[in-house]
């Protein structure tokens, strides 16, 4: 019922997020359970509508005669310590969560929900975006938070060159973002109610672009290099009041980022295939600690139905399982993110799920 409530909220208020705040969490506009289970190393192996968000060149890998339509795409994730707070508070609404965070200082709380119905064919994919994400931490006196609600649409175009050895892709996305970010005193938050709480937000619309390439060598295990330049030169927002009539100001821009990945695809038998991937994220952040750049992942695939994932996300263990058949998918993943500042390491363990109705 908790996940159902989260999903309804996502559909009604069309929420999404990029990065957390002063604790320096690095996340993307969208992360799939498959990607998270593989240590978030998917730049060289993105497929289907996931390519829109990981590497648009991946849409050129779609089988020529296979179309994919996701009528329902329900996804969510939550930090393990956040589950207890929501259960105790009997609410996942951020305004009602602020009191719980004040009573439990020093803990990092995270939750998200998303709905991304999509259509994919070879060389093209389009997806609607509706997502909600909350990250926050209190010291007992003030709350440091990043709460974002996004609605939008994104599409990817991809094409093969040089006999399918080289693929080039382009993503375009249009977003409306309603964001509450910064440090707020609990005393000031206590004076608000449901009708005045939206005044803390900033809202804006923005248009962004990604560029991606894939290079696959015709050698054993099909070694593949993937590179993506996300939010080329940054995605800027312009003030609006479409989702929130009380919003005042403009959300933070989404900074550009560059990721590079390499993957191999050993085949153990006609029924068992695998993918081994390594990725270096945020090449543009030269001062970022090495562990926050590095991502490793492995996938075992059994007859294109049952998938097993494992990896390292910033040196933290990840894992998951997926069951994909005609009519829908179910995926479950656990992963952890480093939310420490600077060179300090701090693990925040989470779980995520995805359920689709598709054909």
């Amino acid at each position: 019922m908790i996940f159902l409530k989260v999903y309804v909220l996502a559909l009604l208020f069309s929420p999404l997020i990029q990065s957390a705040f002063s604790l320096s969490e690095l996340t993307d506009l969208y992360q799939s359970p498959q990607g998270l289970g593989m240590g978030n190393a998917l730049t060289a192996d993105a497929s289907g509508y996931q390519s829109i968000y990981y590497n648009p060149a991946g849409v050129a890998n779609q089988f020529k005669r296979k179309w994919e339509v996701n009528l329902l795409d329900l996804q969510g994730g939550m930090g393990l310590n956040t589950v207890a707070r929501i259960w105790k508070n009997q609410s996942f609404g951020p305004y009602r969560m602020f009191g719980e965070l004040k009573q439990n200082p020093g803990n990092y709380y995270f939750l998200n929900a998303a709905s991304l119905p999509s259509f994919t064919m070879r060389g093209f994919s389009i997806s609607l975006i509706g997502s909600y994400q909350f990250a926050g931490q209190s010291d007992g006196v003030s709350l440091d938070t990043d709460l974002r609600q996004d609605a939008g649409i994104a599409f990817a175009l991809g094409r093969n060159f040089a006999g399918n050895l080289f693929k080039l892709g382009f993503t375009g996305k249009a977003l409306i973002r309603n964001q509450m970010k910064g440090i707020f005193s609990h005393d000031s938050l206590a004076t608000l109610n449901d009708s005045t709480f939206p005044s803390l937000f900033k809202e804006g619309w923005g248009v962004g672009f990604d560029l991606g390439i894939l290079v696959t060598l015709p050698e054993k295990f099909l070694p593949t290099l993937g590179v993506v330049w996300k939010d080329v030169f940054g995605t800027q927002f312009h003030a609006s009041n479409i989702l929130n009539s009380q919003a005042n100001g403009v959300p933070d821009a989404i900074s550009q980022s560059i990721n590079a990945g390499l993957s191999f695809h050993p085949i153990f038998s006609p029924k068992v295939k695998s993918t081994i991937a390594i990725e270096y994220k945020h090449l543009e952040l030269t001062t970022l600690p090495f562990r926050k750049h590095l991502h490793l992942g492995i996938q075992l695939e059994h007859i294109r139905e049952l998938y097993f994932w494992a990896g390292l996300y910033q040196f933290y263990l990840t894992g998951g399982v997926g069951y994909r058949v005609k009519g829908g998918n179910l995926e479950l993943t656990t992963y952890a993110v480093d939310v420490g500042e600077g060179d300090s390491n701090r693990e925040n363990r989470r779980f995520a799920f995805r359920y689709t109705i598709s054909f």
Side-chain angles (χ1 to χ4, degrees):
M1 291 302 296
I2 290 176
F3 287 123
L4 179 59
K5 293 177 182 178
V6 173
Y7 177 55
V8 171
L9 183 68
L11 293 180
L12 292 178
F13 296 98
S14 302
L16 201 80
I17 190 174
Q18 189 234 353
S19 61
F21 43 89
S22 63
L23 293 181
S24 303
E25 179 183 356
L26 295 170
T27 60
D28 298 302
L29 184 67
Y30 166 73
Q31 294 175 310
S32 72
Q34 176 189 359
L36 294 171
M38 293 180 63
N40 207 26
L42 207 58
T43 292
D45 282 283
S47 61
Y49 80 90
Q50 295 180 124
S51 302
I52 299 175
Y53 306 99
Y54 281 94
N55 188 342
V59 298
N61 286 326
Q62 187 79 3
F63 292 117
K64 191 172 184 179
R65 296 184 178 180
K66 182 179 179 182
W67 291 17
E68 181 182 59
V69 179
N70 288 314
L71 298 177
L72 172 68
D73 186 294
L74 168 62
Q75 305 187 37
M78 196 176 300
L80 294 181
N81 60 344
T82 309
V83 177
R85 299 279 72 81
I86 291 178
W87 183 263
K88 179 180 178 181
N89 199 46
Q90 291 296 297
S91 173
F92 51 80
Y95 176 64
R96 293 172 175 79
M97 284 285 291
F98 292 159
E100 285 294 319
L101 271 65
K102 179 181 179 180
Q103 296 174 21
N104 297 272
N107 292 319
Y108 188 107
Y109 296 97
F110 171 90
L111 64 91
N112 79 298
S115 179
L116 294 92
S118 63
F119 167 79
T120 303
M121 58 183 293
R122 189 173 189 182
F124 175 75
S125 183
I126 187 169
S127 169
L128 300 177
I129 303 171
S131 170
Y132 168 94
Q133 190 161 329
F134 170 79
Q137 177 174 274
S138 171
D139 62 4
V141 177
S142 59
L143 173 72
D144 195 353
T145 187
D146 191 346
L147 165 62
R148 303 183 188 184
Q149 303 169 332
D150 286 6
I153 187 170
F155 69 92
L157 300 172
R159 187 175 178 182
N160 295 299
F161 299 91
N164 212 32
L165 300 181
F166 178 80
K167 303 176 183 69
L168 180 66
F170 166 86
T171 287
K173 51 197 171 187
L175 299 173
I176 301 172
R177 170 165 290 175
N178 188 34
Q179 178 187 43
M180 174 186 171
K181 180 179 180 181
I183 299 176
F184 304 85
S185 72
H186 282 291
D187 288 341
S188 63
L189 292 173
T191 64
L192 302 174
N193 54 40
D194 287 338
S195 61
T196 56
F197 172 59
S199 64
L200 298 179
F201 286 75
K202 300 177 180 180
E203 186 193 303
W205 64 270
V207 177
F209 306 94
D210 303 342
L211 294 174
I213 62 172
L214 288 172
V215 180
T216 303
L217 299 180
E219 304 290 340
K220 188 177 181 180
F221 303 152
L222 296 176
T224 301
L225 171 67
V227 179
V228 62
W229 182 8
K230 305 181 74 171
D231 295 285
V232 177
F233 299 121
T235 297
Q236 308 294 326
F237 290 96
H238 308 274
S240 66
N241 293 96
I242 300 173
L243 298 177
N244 182 358
S245 61
Q246 298 184 51
N248 184 22
V250 181
D252 289 355
I254 302 176
S255 300
Q256 63 181 349
S257 61
I258 301 173
N259 305 329
L262 183 65
S263 67
F264 303 88
H265 308 84
I267 298 177
F268 298 115
S269 74
K271 294 184 177 181
V272 180
K273 302 177 182 179
S274 68
T275 298
I276 300 172
I278 181 171
E279 185 163 334
Y280 195 84
K281 289 185 177 293
H282 296 286
L283 276 75
E284 78 287 352
L285 299 179
T286 58
T287 60
L288 195 68
F290 176 73
R291 65 177 291 127
K292 291 192 177 183
H293 285 290
L294 190 63
H295 299 258
L296 303 169
I298 183 171
Q299 172 180 274
L300 293 177
E301 173 189 336
H302 183 260
I303 324 180
R304 301 189 63 82
E305 289 185 359
L306 193 59
Y307 293 75
F308 298 94
W309 304 304
L312 290 177
Y313 188 127
Q314 301 173 342
F315 285 7
Y316 294 120
L317 291 173
T318 68
V321 61
Y323 185 60
R324 298 176 177 176
V325 294
K326 282 188 175 181
N329 305 318
L330 176 62
E331 301 172 357
L332 301 172
T333 295
T334 179
Y335 68 105
V337 176
D338 192 339
V339 296
E341 295 184 77
D343 293 329
S344 65
N345 302 327
R346 184 181 179 190
E347 178 182 0
N348 186 248
R349 174 63 56 179
R350 302 168 183 174
F351 66 89
F353 77 95
R354 173 178 179 245
Y355 174 72
T356 67
I357 296 177
S358 58
F359 62 90

